[in-house]
Amino acid sequence: MTANLLDLDLDGLAAFCQRLGEKRFRATQLFRWIHQRGVHDFSQMSDLAKGLRDKLAGQAEVRGLRLLSQNLSGDGTVKWLFDVGGGNAIETVFIPEDDRGTLCVSSQAGCAVGCRFCSTGHQGFSRNLSTAEIVGQLWFAEHFLREHLKRPERIISNVVMMGMGEPLQNYDQLLPALRVMLDDHAYGLSRRRLTVSTSGVVPMIDRLAQDCPVALAVSLHAPNDALRDNLVPLNRKYPLSELLAACKRYLVHAPRDFITFEYCMLDGVNDQPEHARQLVELVKPHAGAKAWCKLNLIPFNPFEASGLLRSPTERVASFAKILSDAGIVTTVRKTRGDDIAAACGQLAGSVLDRTRVDERMARQRTVLLKPVKEI
Ligand code: SAH
Ligand code: SF4
C-alpha cells in the first residue's frame, strides 16, 4: 500500500525511511520539503539522491485534501470546504489579524458530543479524521496563502483545534498531527500558539499533559452540572468537579499559566447574573492563590435547528462585568467571518448541506479568490 507521508510525524518518517535503508537525516530533509516548502512531487526534491526519490515514488505519496469550495469574507477570513469522502466534508478557517494569522482546524467529520448550540453537534458523528487529513488542512492553507499573498515567509502563526469535531475523542490521530505542527523542521509553532479546545474529555486532558502539553481551551458554557448536562451532554460522564480538577492538573504542564474557558452566551439560558455569580464561585482562586484561568465569552452564532438565540450585547457586557469585578480576566470574542458562515459553531460540513452554503455564499457577495488549484 502506498503510504501518505502527511500521516507521519518526524519520528514516523524516520522509521519509514529506515525501512527503506535510509538514515534519519534523509527523513528530516524529506520532512522539510513537504512541510516547509509545500512540495508533494518527489522528483522536485533536488537534494535527495535519485535512488531515494525513485524508491519514494514507488512506495509513498504526499496526498492532500480535495478542495470543494473556498470563500473569502469581507473581513479577510477565508473558509475552505474539503471533501473527505462518503458524502462528508470538513471545514478549515483562516483568520488574519494584525499581529498573527490563525488557522481553525477540524479534527472529525461531525461530532459525537452533540452540544445543543453547535451545528456540527447537530449533524452527528461521521468519522475521525486521519493525521494526514488534520495536517493536510495546515499544509494546504499555509502554502496556498503564501502563493496567493505572494509572501514567502510563514503566514500561519497560530493553530486552534476549534473547527469541527472533538479533538480529544480522536486522540491517536491528533497527537502526531500536533507534533508535526510543533516541529521546527515543519511549521515550528510554539506550544503557546497551538491550542486544543475540548468539551471536557477528562482522561485525555491528562494524557495530553503528558504527551504534548499545548495551550488548552475548555468549553464550559454552564456554571453548574444541571445546566451543563443539558448543553454539553459529555458532562454527564465527566461532571464539572472532575473537569476542573483535570484543568488544574494540566496547569503543571501547560505552556501558559492559565486555562482558557469558553462560554457561549445563549439568550435566557446561561447568561443571567446568577449564572455569572455561580461561575465566579466555580473558578475563583482560593484566598491568596494566583488566578488560574481566563474566561472567553463567545456570542452565540445562531442556526435554525438549535432553537436558541444570541444573548443581547448589553447582557454579555453585564455578565462580563460581574466576572471582571470578581478579578477574573474576561474577554468577549469578536465574531469573524459570519457573513460566510465561518464563525464558531456554524461549520456545516455535510456535502448535502452544500446547496445551502452555496446559496448563502451567492447572497452574501462572497468574493472568490482566483481559481484554486486542486491538490
Ligand atoms: N469540540 C471542541 C472544539 C470545537 S468547537 C469544543 O467543543 O471545544 C469550538 C468552540 O466553538 C467551542 O468552544 C464551542 O463551544 C464553540 N461553539 C460551538 N457552536 C457554537 C455556536 N453556534 N456559536 C458560538 N460558539 C460555538
Ligand atoms: Fe462537538 Fe465541540 Fe460542537 Fe460540542 S461544541 S458538538 S464538542 S464540536
Side-chain angles (χ1 to χ4, degrees):
M1 219 180 77
T2 314
N4 184 0
L5 300 187
L6 290 181
D7 261 321
L8 304 175
D9 60 14
L10 186 51
D11 284 346
L13 194 60
F16 180 83
C17 286
Q18 199 180 19
R19 287 196 291 277
L20 299 181
E22 299 286 338
K23 298 241 162 55
R24 188 179 172 99
F25 82 95
R26 290 289 175 212
T28 306
Q29 282 178 308
L30 181 55
F31 201 59
R32 293 169 70 110
W33 274 109
I34 297 169
H35 295 290
Q36 291 190 337
R37 315 212 21 199
V39 173
H40 62 98
D41 178 355
F42 299 122
S43 69
Q44 286 178 25
M45 301 182 179
S46 48
D47 59 0
L48 297 184
K50 174 91 171 54
L52 172 57
R53 283 186 265 157
D54 290 345
K55 265 192 269 182
L56 286 170
Q59 301 186 39
E61 61 181 342
V62 181
R63 190 176 65 250
L65 292 156
R66 206 172 77 78
L67 186 67
L68 284 173
S69 70
Q70 161 182 258
N71 33 78
L72 178 66
S73 153
D75 66 13
T77 300
V78 189
K79 180 173 84 169
W80 294 283
L81 188 66
F82 297 104
D83 177 17
V84 291
N88 296 309
I90 55 153
E91 289 176 323
T92 309
V93 180
F94 174 66
I95 306 146
E97 285 171 280
D98 292 343
D99 58 341
R100 71 183 86 170
T102 303
L103 194 71
C104 180
V105 170
S106 294
S107 56
Q108 297 178 316
C111 181
V113 177
C115 300
R116 272 186 53 200
F117 50 83
C118 174
S119 146
T120 308
H122 274 247
Q123 268 173 55
F125 177 66
S126 295
R127 69 167 175 85
N128 281 327
L129 298 187
S130 66
T131 298
E133 288 166 331
I134 299 172
V135 169
Q137 297 169 65
L138 176 56
W139 186 67
F140 171 85
E142 175 66 35
H143 297 290
F144 172 81
L145 290 167
R146 269 190 216 175
E147 193 178 310
H148 180 73
L149 302 172
K150 305 259 174 293
R151 277 174 35 194
E153 76 274 28
R154 200 167 77 183
I155 292 182
I156 295 165
S157 58
N158 295 55
V159 169
V160 292
M161 296 302 307
M162 292 188 187
M164 299 167 66
E166 169 47 59
L168 296 188
Q169 286 187 339
N170 184 16
Y171 191 78
D172 292 347
Q173 305 292 337
L174 175 74
L175 188 60
L178 297 179
R179 290 187 168 139
V180 174
M181 293 176 189
L182 294 172
D183 202 304
D184 282 340
H185 296 294
Y187 304 92
L189 296 182
S190 82
R191 287 196 292 130
R192 332 168 86 231
R193 289 170 174 267
L194 174 54
T195 302
V196 168
S197 176
T198 179
S199 55
V201 191
V202 166
M204 293 302 159
I205 293 177
D206 288 324
R207 278 192 63 188
L208 189 67
Q210 295 302 324
D211 295 339
C212 191
V214 294
L216 185 69
V218 171
S219 295
L220 207 57
H221 308 308
N224 61 62
D225 281 322
L227 186 54
R228 196 164 190 271
D229 280 352
N230 187 276
L231 295 174
V232 183
L234 193 66
N235 195 68
R236 294 174 205 150
K237 194 158 180 198
Y238 306 113
L240 280 169
S241 58
E242 287 180 29
L243 178 57
L244 295 193
C247 291
K248 289 185 177 164
R249 290 194 295 275
Y250 194 85
L251 276 176
V252 177
H253 305 270
R256 296 178 184 269
D257 58 2
F258 61 87
I259 304 284
T260 304
F261 287 123
E262 295 161 282
Y263 194 103
C264 181
M265 298 292 291
L266 303 164
D267 185 18
V269 176
N270 63 355
D271 63 349
Q272 302 299 305
E274 179 53 23
H275 295 128
R277 287 190 287 269
Q278 285 178 19
L279 197 52
V280 169
E281 286 310 307
L282 195 68
V283 304
K284 78 167 186 221
H286 297 298
K290 260 179 58 204
W292 64 283
C293 65
K294 292 188 179 177
L295 251 295
N296 191 207
L297 304 181
I298 314 173
F300 171 57
N301 295 308
F303 60 100
E304 221 166 80
S306 72
L308 297 162
L309 296 171
R310 177 184 290 191
S311 303
T313 314
E314 318 76 67
R315 195 152 339 122
V316 177
S318 44
F319 196 94
K321 185 165 184 311
I322 296 175
L323 297 172
S324 309
D325 287 352
I328 296 163
V329 178
T330 305
T331 49
V332 179
R333 184 178 293 171
K334 234 177 40 209
T335 293
R336 299 283 305 260
D338 49 357
D339 56 339
I340 54 167
C344 306
Q346 286 186 322
L347 305 183
S350 143
V351 176
L352 298 174
D353 270 337
R354 277 195 67 219
T355 31
R356 214 163 45 81
V357 173
D358 288 344
E359 276 166 24
R360 204 158 38 196
M361 276 161 51
R363 273 206 313 276
Q364 285 159 342
R365 292 179 294 121
T366 303
V367 189
L368 283 171
L369 297 173
K370 69 181 179 194
V372 187
K373 60 175 190 306
E374 285 207 354
I375 296 198

